[in-house]
């Protein structure tokens, strides 16, 4: 981090959000102190571990005090607790890759508001590591604490299902090297809140499912009313930073990303801020850092970029190519219900899958669960299995036929204002990308991959404490594709 020459533009520095006006002056005057400041940037930590060591850890105390102070502001103040939730309700971006920078900016300014209102300038927003602690962390359950939310669907004892937060599932997502598969697809030109059929695995699996699992406020677009929201998104932010900075995977350099300005938030003084999406990729190297949140060991070290090289790599991004070179499609209405899985066969060209499995690291087999009608009741998530027609809700996910899971995060009441160009209500359809390469590889090695068809099973499973009887998943399209990037 010694070489700071890439930071020549004041507006760029300002967008980084890490430096006050006074520090900008220091920066201009040559920069021992800046590099010090970067090295000592605040560390975002695991809230459950902090609590286990000391329930009155300053991070937890400051977060509580900040929530109290935000709740005391009039809701017309965008820095207030309700004001921040309303920004999300009206503006949040999901189901395309801009959800990552959008929520990153959200957290950075929330953190700054917390500092300003509490006077604790060393505060760093903690995260909830649901992989190591699948229950909502203990500090959120003290009924007299401002971190408590009365309407969660679960209790302190309930654990999120390993189908969406287990170590191997998170590991597989981190192993994705393609940005679209990891982060979701490009934004549609008409409505940033949509993006049919392109939800990637970080968003569709742990992101959506934790919202659904916690329930109550968390399952709506007013989810930031529950203080657990920010710690959930901070974990996702940590995994994204890990994917970029430690595993050295590139983000996109598509103009829809590099030209995108995030204008939804205010700073700690209530002034609107404008941040370019591409600038946010530098936050975790200049503005804050994370106590490691991933179980993935960063091996080798040889490849890992540091300092100026890492910065240049992050700023450059890479073309986000995801070419569907062979598609095998089943276009037909499929309905699965809680307790009643649905299995359908996709016909494939003989030998195509086996050939694709030999295609090297830039060839993947991707299942698109497409034209999914947004279920009106979303008390369940969906496990996907391949070639397992006798599957049930009890089939364990360490079964070799298990391929992945997805859940829904949506709010009809928030979408009223977002009608499509055609004038129809926005986004009744959605879709998910599931990388099924590893599963097909296992089945192939076991000799149980038929050469001309793949059976795809959808298994709706209720979240903890939800009955979900009769709730259904209906989709119009299943596609198994050979993709290249
Ligand atoms: Cu915009 Cu997880 O929420």
């Amino acid at each position: 981090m010694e070489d700071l020459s890439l930071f020549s533009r004041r507006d760029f520095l300002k967008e980084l959000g890490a430096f006050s006006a006074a520090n900008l002056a220091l920066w201009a005057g040559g920069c021992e102190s800046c590099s010090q400041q970067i090295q000592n940037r605040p560390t975002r930590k695991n809230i459950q571990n902090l609590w286990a060591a000391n329930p009155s850890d300053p991070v937890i105390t400051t977060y509580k005090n900040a929530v109290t102070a935000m709740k005391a502001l009039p809701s017309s103040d965008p820095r207030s607790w309700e004001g921040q939730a309303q920004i999300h309700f009206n503006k949040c971006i999901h189901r395309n890759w801009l959800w990552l920078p959008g929520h990153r900016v959200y957290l950075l300014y929330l953190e700054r508001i917390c500092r300003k209102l509490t006077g604790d300038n060393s505060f760093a927003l903690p995260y909830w590591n649901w992989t190591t602690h699948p229950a909502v962390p203990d500090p959120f359950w003290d009924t007299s604490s401002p971190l408590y939310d009365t309407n969660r669907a679960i209790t302190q004892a309930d654990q999120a299902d390993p189908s969406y937060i287990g170590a191997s599932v998170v590991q597989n997502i981190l192993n994705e090297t393609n940005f679209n598969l990891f982060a979701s697809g490009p934004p549609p030109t008409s409505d940033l809140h949509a993006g049919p059929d392109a939800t990637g695995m970080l968003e569709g699996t742990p992101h959506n499912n934790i919202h659904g699992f916690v329930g109550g406020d968390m399952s709506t677009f007013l989810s930031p009313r529950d203080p657990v929201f920010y710690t959930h998104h901070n974990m996702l932010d940590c995994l994204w930073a890990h994917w970029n900075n430690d595993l050295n995977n590139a983000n996109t350099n598509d103009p829809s990303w590099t030209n995108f300005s995030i204008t939804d938030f205010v700073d700690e003084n209530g002034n609107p801020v404008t941040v370019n999406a591409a600038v946010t990729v530098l936050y975790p190297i200049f503005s804050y850092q994370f106590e490691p949140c991933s179980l993935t060991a960063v091996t080798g070290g040889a490849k890992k970029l540091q300092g100026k090289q890492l910065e240049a790599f992050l700023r450059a991004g890479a073309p986000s190519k995801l070419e569907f070179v062979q598609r095998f499609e089943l276009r037909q209405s499929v309905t699965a219900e809680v307790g009643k899985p649905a299995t359908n066969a996709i016909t494939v060209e003989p030998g195509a899958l086996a050939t694709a499995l030999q295609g090297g690291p830039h060839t993947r087999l991707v299942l698109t669960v497409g034209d999914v009608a947004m279920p009106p009741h979303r008390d369940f998530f969906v496990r996907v299995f391949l070639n397992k027609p006798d599957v049930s809700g009890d089939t364990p996910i360490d079964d070799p036929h298990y391929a992945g899971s997805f859940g829904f995060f949506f709010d009809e009441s928030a979408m009223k204002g977002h009608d499509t160009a055609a004038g129809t209500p926005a986004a009744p359809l959605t879709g998910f990308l599931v990388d099924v390469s590893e599963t097909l590889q296992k089945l192939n090695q076991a000799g149980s991959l038929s050469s001309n068809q793949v059976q795809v099973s959808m298994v709706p499973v209720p979240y903890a404490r939800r009955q979900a009887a009769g709730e259904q998943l209906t989709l119009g399209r299943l596609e198994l594709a050979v993709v290249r990037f």
Side-chain angles (χ1 to χ4, degrees), residues 88 92-94 103 207 211 223 229 232-233 236 409:
H88 189 266
C92 60
I93 303 169
H94 298 110
H103 289 82
H207 170 263
H211 277 284
S223 41
F229 169 90
H232 169 43
H233 269 276
L236 297 158
F409 180 50

Side-chain angles (χ1 to χ4, degrees), residues 206-450:
H207 170 263
N208 287 4
N209 278 311
I210 286 290
H211 277 284
F213 162 70
V214 178
D217 288 330
M218 273 289 276
S219 59
T220 74
F221 284 2
L222 286 168
S223 41
R225 282 180 175 169
D226 187 336
V228 85
F229 169 90
Y230 296 100
T231 61
H232 169 43
H233 269 276
N234 204 17
M235 176 66 184
L236 297 158
D237 199 63
C238 183
L239 292 173
W240 178 28
H242 176 61
W243 190 78
N244 283 154
N245 302 352
D246 301 322
L247 305 176
N248 293 151
N249 294 297
N251 302 301
T252 180
N253 63 3
D254 189 272
S256 72
W257 172 273
T258 55
N259 295 338
F260 186 70
S261 285
I262 296 153
T263 56
D264 304 334
F265 302 103
V266 297
D267 69 11
E268 65 277 23
N269 300 311
N271 298 318
V273 288
T274 298
V275 182
N276 177 271
V279 168
T280 68
V281 307
L282 301 177
Y283 283 6
I285 62 172
F286 289 114
S287 305
Y288 55 81
Q289 57 198 316
F290 286 102
E291 190 178 73
C293 60
S294 164
L295 306 177
T296 314
V298 182
T299 47
K303 192 193 158 209
K304 194 181 160 187
L305 300 171
Q306 308 267 10
K308 188 182 167 189
Q309 279 162 345
L310 176 60
E311 184 199 332
F313 168 80
L314 291 172
R315 295 188 77 177
S320 61
K321 195 168 88 165
L322 188 64
E323 218 185 309
F324 285 64
V325 293
Q326 256 181 314
R327 300 171 181 264
F328 307 108
E329 192 185 53
L330 180 73
R331 200 173 264 281
Q332 131 186 348
S333 176
V334 170
T335 299
E337 192 174 305
V338 169
K340 291 183 200 151
T343 299
N344 291 82
I346 301 180
T347 305
V348 301
E349 195 180 293
L353 304 183
T355 307
L357 288 172
Q358 320 258 301
H362 296 287
T363 300
R364 307 296 290 172
L365 285 156
V366 173
L367 177 73
T368 298
V369 181
D371 292 354
V372 178
M374 190 62 76
H377 301 287
R378 298 177 284 271
D379 297 308
F380 67 93
F381 65 100
V382 181
R383 293 193 189 121
V384 181
F385 290 81
L386 301 181
N387 290 356
K388 180 84 182 156
D390 62 345
V391 72
S392 78
D394 296 327
T395 309
I397 65 164
D398 55 9
D399 184 289
H401 301 84
Y402 180 65
S405 82
F406 57 85
F408 304 94
F409 180 50
F410 191 65
D411 188 332
E412 284 80 0
S413 60
M415 296 305 288
K416 289 206 176 97
H418 300 283
D419 290 352
T420 61
T424 51
L429 292 182
T430 187
F432 301 88
L433 304 174
V434 184
D435 186 337
V436 294
S437 314
E438 305 305 329
T439 307
L440 288 173
Q441 186 74 268
K442 270 186 236 164
L443 298 181
N444 194 33
Q445 276 158 8
S448 55
L449 195 59
S450 122

Side-chain angles (χ1 to χ4, degrees), residues 128 130-136 141 154-165 209-210 213-214 381 462-466:
W128 167 23
W130 9 255
T131 301
T132 56
H133 189 83
V136 167
W141 291 106
I154 49 164
T155 70
Q156 191 165 7
D158 291 314
Q159 303 212 337
D161 194 276
S163 311
Y164 46 86
I165 46 82
N209 278 311
I210 286 290
F213 162 70
V214 178
F381 65 100
Y463 291 119
R465 310 244 163 214
R466 257 78 38 110

